[in-house]
């Protein structure tokens, strides 16, 4: 069975390619290398012994998308990761975000209808819930107006999927709403590689520990939480990657209950930013230089997942702890920077 992984050289995509290959699937990647490096293919090959097929092009280019499916007429399912994902950048360049994230999905769905690839797993986000009134957040918790164009593209893409699937019996889909993916492969050969100054917490932590950033800013200590810092549900990227294999399996084996399903992917436990910093210091033995600053615009106070639906229906559960995730992130950072 062959799975097309769009964005397969990216952070979550590369970990998913590894898990797919180790589960016996063939993987073919489409990536325009906008936010990833070609060397990731070497790293994947080092881990699994198998070099995934790779095509470099932009999914916004519809003739190229169609030509891809003519060439690779043995694709059984798609996992669609390729998208822009920086919240702040999306506020500055909304049209760039809408064009890229919407058009790539539209082009894929169009091609799927023509070439009869029936299954697509979509990379969505807990950002669709905004600040939920009730925690933990369930799949049927209300979707709230997005804080950023990035978040809105996830909401609109979910709607595009839902409407398309209503209009045809040729396509079935699962949207996976990720909480906060962190961590890296235990080999330290692949991990998160943000270009420039990281926006997300854990890459900023590891780069600060590595001496690349002078100081970590903690955005806010006056939230209504136990220590005042914001709370997130951090999920290890390898657990997340494994959920994609389960979702693809579910579609291929016809175990899905409806043509369009949505699952939360989180651990079910929230940790505060300060707890995360302390855990990092404890498992790595590194002292972090940080200071408390004001809240970051657009941040929510706290969110964590109700995982019961994903646990019961997918038969999937996270197995790795926050400490595991932070240690692997650190090992990856050290390996990438050539540090001891
Ligand atoms: C954001 C997006 C999410 C997206 C994810 C990955 C929103 C609301 N959230 O998650 O959809 O999937 O990025 O790109 O759109 N923090 C610091 N100092 C830092 C960096 C972060 O204190 O230097 C804090 C933040 O204020 C936040 C927590 O750490 O409270 C997590 O932040 P981050 O890693 O950026 O993820 P989210 O904002 O939760």
């Amino acid at each position: 069975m062959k799975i097309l992984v769009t964005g397969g050289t990216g952070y979550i995509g590369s970990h998913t390619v590894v898990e797919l290959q180790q589960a016996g699937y063939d993987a073919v990647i489409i990536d325009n290398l906008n936010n990833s490096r070609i060397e990731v293919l070497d790293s994947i090959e080092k881990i699994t012994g198998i070099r995934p097929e790779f095509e470099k092009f932009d999914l916004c280019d519809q003739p190229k998308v169609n030509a891809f499916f003519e060439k690779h007429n043995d694709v059984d399912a798609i996992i669609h990761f390729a998208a822009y994902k920086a919240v702040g950048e999306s506020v500055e360049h909304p049209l760039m975000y809408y064009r890229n994230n919407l058009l790539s999905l539209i082009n894929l769905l169009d091609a799927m209808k023509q070439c009869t690839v029936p299954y697509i797993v979509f990379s969505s986000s807990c950002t669709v819930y905004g600040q939920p009134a009730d925690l933990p957040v369930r799949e049927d918790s209300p979707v709230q107006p997005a804080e950023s164009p990035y978040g809105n593209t996830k909401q609109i893409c979910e709607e595009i999927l839902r409407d398309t699937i209503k209009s045809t019996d040729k396509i079935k889909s699962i949207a996976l709403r990720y909480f906060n993916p962190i961590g890296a492969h235990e080999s330290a050969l692949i991990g998160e590689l943000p270009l420039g100054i990281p926006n997300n917490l854990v890459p900023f932590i590891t780069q600060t520990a590595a001496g690349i950033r002078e100081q970590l800013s903690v955005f806010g200590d006056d939230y209504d939480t136990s220590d005042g810092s914001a709370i997130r549900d951090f999920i290890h990227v390898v657990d997340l990657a494994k959920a994609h294999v389960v979702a693809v399996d579910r579609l291929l084996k016809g175990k899905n209950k409806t043509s369009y399903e949505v699952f939360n992917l989180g651990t079910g436990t929230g940790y505060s930013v300060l707890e995360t910093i302390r855990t990092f210091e404890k498992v790595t033995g590194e002292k972090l230089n940080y200071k408390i600053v004001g809240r970051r615009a657009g941040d929510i106070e706290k969110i964590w997942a109700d995982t019961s639906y994903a646990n019961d229906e997918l038969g999937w559960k996270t197995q790795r702890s926050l400490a595991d995730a932070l240690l692997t992130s650190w090992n990856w950072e050290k390996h990438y920077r050539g540090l001891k």
Side-chain angles (χ1 to χ4, degrees):
M1 289 277 184
K2 187 183 275 189
I3 314 300
L4 163 60
V5 183
T6 76
T9 48
Y11 173 43
I12 306 171
S14 57
H15 288 83
T16 300
V17 169
V18 165
E19 294 304 320
L20 283 168
Q21 290 178 330
Q22 289 180 337
Y25 288 104
D26 292 323
V28 53
I29 293 173
I30 299 175
D31 204 304
N32 64 1
L33 301 178
N34 164 275
N35 192 24
S36 61
R37 294 157 54 251
I38 191 77
E39 291 78 12
V40 168
L41 298 176
D42 302 331
S43 304
I44 292 173
E45 189 177 358
K46 261 192 209 151
I47 297 170
T48 65
I50 308 162
R51 193 170 187 85
E53 287 181 82
F54 175 74
E55 301 275 359
K56 178 179 180 289
F57 68 91
D58 193 325
L59 289 163
C60 293
D61 187 336
Q62 188 162 28
K64 286 202 178 140
V65 174
N66 293 340
F68 170 89
F69 284 104
E70 272 166 35
K71 180 175 166 194
H72 298 266
N73 57 8
D74 53 351
V75 168
D76 296 290
I78 300 169
I79 305 179
H80 179 42
F81 291 106
Y84 294 156
K85 61 163 192 174
V87 176
E89 185 184 57
S90 79
V91 175
E92 273 172 53
H93 303 289
L95 297 180
M96 186 174 110
Y97 269 66
Y98 286 116
R99 182 177 292 116
N100 186 65
N101 291 5
L102 272 49
L103 199 53
S104 54
L105 176 65
I106 291 167
N107 286 345
L108 277 175
L109 289 170
D110 246 343
M112 286 171 76
K113 279 168 97 171
Q114 285 167 40
C115 66
T116 69
V117 176
Y119 307 121
I120 181 163
V121 174
F122 177 67
S123 176
S124 190
S125 167
C126 71
T127 193
V128 302
Y129 299 116
Q131 176 60 67
D134 298 309
L135 288 166
V137 62
R138 292 159 43 101
E139 285 80 353
D140 57 5
S141 297
V143 166
Q144 303 201 58
E147 285 280 349
S148 69
Y150 156 75
N152 207 21
T153 66
K154 291 296 173 193
Q155 293 189 5
I156 298 171
C157 282
E158 286 196 7
E159 285 166 9
I160 290 172
L161 275 172
R162 205 174 36 233
D163 290 343
T164 307
I165 285 156
K166 254 190 230 157
S167 75
T168 172
D169 55 9
K170 284 187 183 166
I171 303 177
K172 296 180 176 35
S173 178
I174 294 178
L176 299 174
R177 292 176 177 161
Y178 315 151
F179 283 66
N180 285 60
I182 62 164
H185 193 263
E186 61 177 10
S187 65
L189 291 168
I190 51 173
E192 189 169 9
L193 195 60
L195 297 179
I197 301 171
N199 295 305
N200 297 119
L201 178 64
V202 172
F204 211 108
I205 288 178
T206 55
Q207 289 197 10
T208 306
I212 298 157
R213 309 284 152 208
E214 203 181 312
Q215 190 170 51
L216 167 74
S217 296
V218 172
F219 299 132
D221 70 345
D222 56 351
Y223 286 111
D224 183 19
T225 61
S226 57
D227 62 22
S229 63
I231 293 180
R232 295 291 184 273
D233 183 340
F234 296 102
I235 173 170
H236 195 303
V237 67
V238 172
D239 282 329
L240 189 64
K242 286 178 185 290
H244 290 76
V245 179
V246 174
V248 156
D249 245 24
R250 180 176 174 90
L251 289 169
L252 289 169
K253 293 187 178 142
K255 290 194 279 186
N256 50 307
K257 292 228 163 108
T258 54
S259 300
Y260 177 61
E261 296 182 310
V262 174
F263 293 97
N264 284 343
L265 297 184
T267 67
T269 305
Y271 288 99
S272 76
V273 172
L274 289 171
E275 279 172 323
T276 307
I277 291 171
R278 275 198 297 278
T279 306
F280 179 85
E281 290 184 327
K282 192 165 162 218
V283 292
T284 64
E286 299 291 324
K287 188 97 195 77
L288 266 183
N289 178 20
Y290 71 90
K291 68 164 184 241
I292 312 279
V293 300
R295 294 181 181 192
R296 184 172 71 176
D299 267 348
I300 57 162
E301 182 167 88
K302 49 190 163 193
I303 188 163
W304 60 93
D306 183 325
T307 61
S308 46
Y309 188 55
N311 296 164
D312 298 346
E313 260 310 310
L314 293 178
W316 163 92
K317 207 173 179 351
T318 56
Q319 287 171 340
R320 290 156 184 80
S321 66
L322 178 67
D324 294 335
L326 292 169
L327 188 58
T328 53
S329 284
W330 178 230
N331 288 340
W332 152 248
E333 184 80 51
K334 281 195 298 184
H335 180 265
Y336 183 71
R337 309 281 168 195
L339 303 173
K340 284 255 153 55

